[in-house]
Every structure is written in C-alpha cells, then in structure tokens.
Amino acid sequence: MVSVDAMRTAVGIVGNAIALGLFLSPLPTFIRIWKKKSVEEFSVIPYVATLLNCMLWMVYGLPIVHPNSTLVLTINAAGTVIELCYVILYLVFSDGPKRLKALLLFLGDLAIVGTVSAIVLIFFHTHERRSLVVGILCVIFCIIMYLAPLTVMFVTLVSTVQSSVIKTKSVEYMPLSLSVASFCNGLCWTIYALIRFDLYITIPNTLGLLFSITQLVLHVLYYKSTKMQIAERKKKGEVGLTDVIVVDSLKTSASAPSH
C-alpha cells in the first residue's frame, strides 16, 4: 500500500515540473528583449513580485524554518534563480526611470527577505513560530504577486491608444494554455498541502486555483464572441491588441507557483 508521504512526494514532484514550466513561460519575452536590446514597454513589476514570492517561499522551505519541505525549497530556489535572471536582463536593457524603478524594487526585495530572515532566525527559536511568521508573510506577498499583473493590465488598457479595440466579452488577452497550466499547478499544490495539512501552502494555492478556474470559465463563456471580434477586426484590417505586455503579465502570474 502506498504511504501518505509517498503520495505527497509524487504530487509534489508533478507540481515541481508544472511550476518549472510556468517559471520559464516568460522566456520568449526576454529572448525578444535580448535581441532588441530594449525592454520596450514591458513592466518589471510582475518579475520583482514573483522574485520576492519565490525568495520568501524558499526561506519557508528551509529545514531550520519548516522541516520536511524539500520540494517547496527546490522549486522556489529554481524560481528565484530564473526570476533573478529576468530582473537582471531587465536592468541591463532598460534605462532612465525604468532602470531606476527596477533597481529600487529589486533592492527592496532583497531588503525585505534579508530583514525577514534575520528577524525570524534571531527572535524566534521554534519551527512552529518561524513557520507561522514566514508563512503569513508568504501568503500576504503571494496575494500581492497575483495582483501585480492586474495593475499592469489596468495601466496598459488605460494608457494605450489601442485600448478601444478591447471590448467586453473577450478573452483574447488571456492565453488558454497558461490558464490550464495555472489550474494544474494550483490543483497539484493544493492537493500536496492537504495530504499533510499545511495552512500556509493551502491558502495561496487555493486562491490561485480559484483564479485559474475563473479564467477557464471566462474562456468557455466568451470563446465564440472573442473569435467573432478577432475575425471582425481582420476584415476591417485593424491590428488586434494581442498586447505582449498584457500577455506577458498573465504569464508571470501563472508562472509564480505559490507553494
């Protein structure tokens, strides 16, 4: 008979594989930035938000904070390295206010994680207390991470001259593949957290699961109307807003597994 720990490990490994794919999903964007030597109109906010989220979950997964969380530690360590590469590339190929903003946000990430780590290790001496403090912060910043791409979408839709082509009942800017992958990721890590109950992993992944289910429902409801709008624009010779900024923001939201 398969043990509970073996089941949990198997689910966690599947979750790691899905999460790694999601972390790598913005890669085409940064290949584009590398080739053009410019960040264009891309925002750094989703990447620094995801980096902060990964670093905090990495602290949570440390044996001295929350024992028996190897899979949480490994995937978030990988996520930290990947997001760090994204942020560094953004710093290299941005300039002026964009570079300053990215640098300040990046330094803010490091300051927050360094401060949290120092406080937890110095002032809290049991696994339970350390897990409580870091776990609560992980949940809070994970929610902020989910909201970060939404702010980018709002700014994009308000500021761009093409905003008029985005109509109601359209999921053109919400990639189905990423919604499905996000759903699978949230489901895996929610199951992982429930097998041996972990409140701090359960809360953000349940929220992520609900968020992805909402996206899938919208795809079902508005699939036909989206196709009609795209076809209508093509007939008129208009350029549709398959805006890489919005799409990339959604990729980052999906690619930030909350473990």
Side-chain angles (χ1 to χ4, degrees):
M1 186 175 179
V2 181
S3 67
V4 171
D5 286 340
M7 290 175 57
R8 191 171 190 257
T9 300
V11 172
I13 291 173
V14 173
N16 267 245
I18 296 173
L20 184 60
L22 290 173
F23 280 133
L24 293 172
S25 62
L27 193 57
T29 295
F30 282 89
I31 292 175
R32 169 180 170 159
I33 289 173
W34 176 275
K35 289 180 177 179
K36 293 197 171 187
K37 309 299 182 185
S38 171
V39 298
E40 300 176 290
E41 295 303 315
F42 290 105
S43 172
V44 75
I45 293 176
Y47 305 105
V48 292
T50 305
L51 176 61
L52 177 59
N53 180 70
C54 287
M55 288 193 294
L56 284 174
W57 280 109
M58 191 169 62
V59 173
Y60 180 83
L62 292 172
I64 56 176
V65 176
H66 194 77
N68 304 315
S69 300
T70 303
L71 292 173
V72 174
L73 177 61
T74 53
I75 188 56
N76 283 287
T80 296
V81 172
I82 293 169
E83 297 300 327
L84 185 59
C85 290
Y86 293 157
V87 173
I88 291 174
L89 280 172
Y90 193 97
L91 286 169
V92 170
F93 294 114
S94 59
D95 54 21
K98 286 185 179 179
R99 176 177 288 176
L100 179 60
K101 178 182 179 181
L103 180 60
L104 291 175
L105 289 172
F106 174 55
L107 293 176
D109 280 2
L110 297 180
I112 290 172
V113 174
T115 302
V116 169
S117 301
I119 291 174
V120 166
L121 296 178
I122 294 173
F123 296 104
F124 298 93
H125 305 291
T126 65
H127 291 144
E128 290 75 15
R129 287 183 178 274
R130 288 174 177 175
S131 297
L132 174 65
V133 174
V134 180
I136 290 173
L137 290 174
C138 283
V139 171
I140 292 172
F141 283 105
C142 187
I143 293 172
I144 293 174
M145 179 201 69
Y146 277 125
L147 293 177
L150 299 182
T151 61
V152 176
M153 286 175 62
F154 176 77
V155 171
T156 302
L157 298 184
V158 169
S159 63
T160 180
V161 294
Q162 293 179 318
S163 61
S164 60
V165 304
I166 292 189
K167 304 173 183 178
T168 58
K169 300 182 180 180
S170 174
V171 290
E172 179 183 359
Y173 53 87
M174 192 165 62
L176 177 60
S177 60
L178 291 170
S179 297
V180 172
S182 182
F183 169 79
C184 293
N185 181 72
L187 182 62
C188 274
W189 286 104
T190 299
I191 293 172
Y192 176 88
L194 292 175
I195 290 176
R196 180 181 285 172
F197 188 68
D198 188 317
L199 179 64
Y200 308 113
I201 298 178
T202 302
I203 291 174
N205 282 287
T206 301
L207 290 175
L209 184 61
L210 293 174
F211 183 71
S212 60
I213 289 174
T214 302
Q215 291 182 29
L216 293 174
V217 170
L218 290 175
H219 271 287
V220 172
L221 292 176
Y222 300 140
Y223 175 79
K224 290 184 178 180
S225 61
T226 301
K227 290 293 183 182
M228 291 174 63
Q229 290 175 28
I230 294 173
E232 183 180 347
R233 283 207 309 273
K234 286 182 178 179
K235 287 180 180 179
K236 293 180 179 179
E238 296 176 356
V239 178
L241 183 57
T242 52
D243 195 300
V244 288
I245 302 169
V246 178
V247 171
D248 186 66
S249 301
L250 288 169
K251 281 184 178 180
T252 309
S253 175
S255 72
S258 17
H259 315 132

